[in-house]
Amino acid sequence: MTIHAEHPFASSGRDLGRQIRARLGGRVALLTTGQGRSRVGLTVSSVLVAGGEPWRAVVLLDPDSDLAESLEVGSPAVLQLLSGPHRYLADAFAGLAPAPGGLFTLGDWEQTEWGPRLSEAESWAGVRVESRRTIGWSEEFVLALEGGAAGESAEPLHHVRGAYRTL
């Protein structure tokens, strides 16, 4: 991680795409896969859900992340929406905070047929990778929703202009 003196969302001298993305904001989710020692996950806020049969989620991941390297077409995964109390977990899975003992020692996890699920996540979906392609500097994954639950969160966690906010 590199620390820069300038504000990451400063308007002067920054690229327009980065500024627009920061102001757009997004719900904070966690995408996980694997089991046992092969479990990996990543915090994501670039998520789009599209209607259809089946419904699909489209996520953008860092192509160099352990998660992107672990997912292939046909791979199962769990997409879970995070809430206010999960701020530290979001930072840890994004590589911004330490996780002594490993990422999956933070929180309670249940192993599902799609991968590890955060037990406290009110809304989650078991998904399967349908396709992937490079788009810009990211890797786009289209995920077919196969199961899960849609609950209500009193404090949905969002990422806007470099900070977590709850509604």
Side-chain angles (χ1 to χ4, degrees):
M1 176 171 76
T2 304
I3 299 178
H4 301 278
E6 72 273 4
H7 189 283
F9 301 106
S11 56
S12 62
R14 301 296 288 187
D15 102 56
L16 178 61
R18 184 180 299 270
Q19 291 178 51
I20 295 295
R21 181 180 64 189
R23 285 156 178 79
L24 183 62
R27 181 73 191 265
V28 180
L30 184 60
L31 186 61
T32 56
T33 192
Q35 57 185 343
R37 294 177 126 346
S38 68
R39 295 181 295 182
V40 293
L42 187 66
T43 303
V44 294
S45 59
S46 297
V47 180
L48 170 73
V49 178
E53 191 53 49
W55 279 72
R56 291 170 178 84
V58 179
V59 299
L60 298 178
L61 303 179
D62 177 345
D64 295 327
S65 67
D66 291 341
L67 180 63
E69 291 176 3
S70 296
L71 293 175
E72 301 174 356
V73 172
S75 294
V78 178
L79 180 67
Q80 47 234 312
L81 302 181
L82 299 182
S83 300
H86 304 129
R87 283 183 168 109
Y88 190 85
L89 185 73
D91 273 345
F93 272 87
L96 302 174
L103 292 169
F104 291 94
T105 62
L106 305 174
D108 293 321
W109 298 88
E110 168 191 336
Q111 186 66 34
T112 71
E113 63 185 279
W114 301 281
R117 180 183 82 82
L118 181 64
S119 299
E120 300 169 1
E122 291 98 354
S123 296
W124 66 278
V127 300
R128 193 160 308 273
V129 176
E130 193 171 82
S131 66
R132 68 182 283 178
R133 70 179 176 135
T134 300
I135 181 167
W137 292 330
S138 298
E139 193 77 7
E140 174 196 73
F141 287 82
V142 176
L143 311 170
L145 277 65
E146 295 183 347
E152 294 298 324
S153 172
E155 297 181 75
L157 191 61
H158 292 264
H159 192 259
V160 180
R161 295 194 76 187
Y164 295 121
R165 305 191 193 285
T166 56
L167 299 178

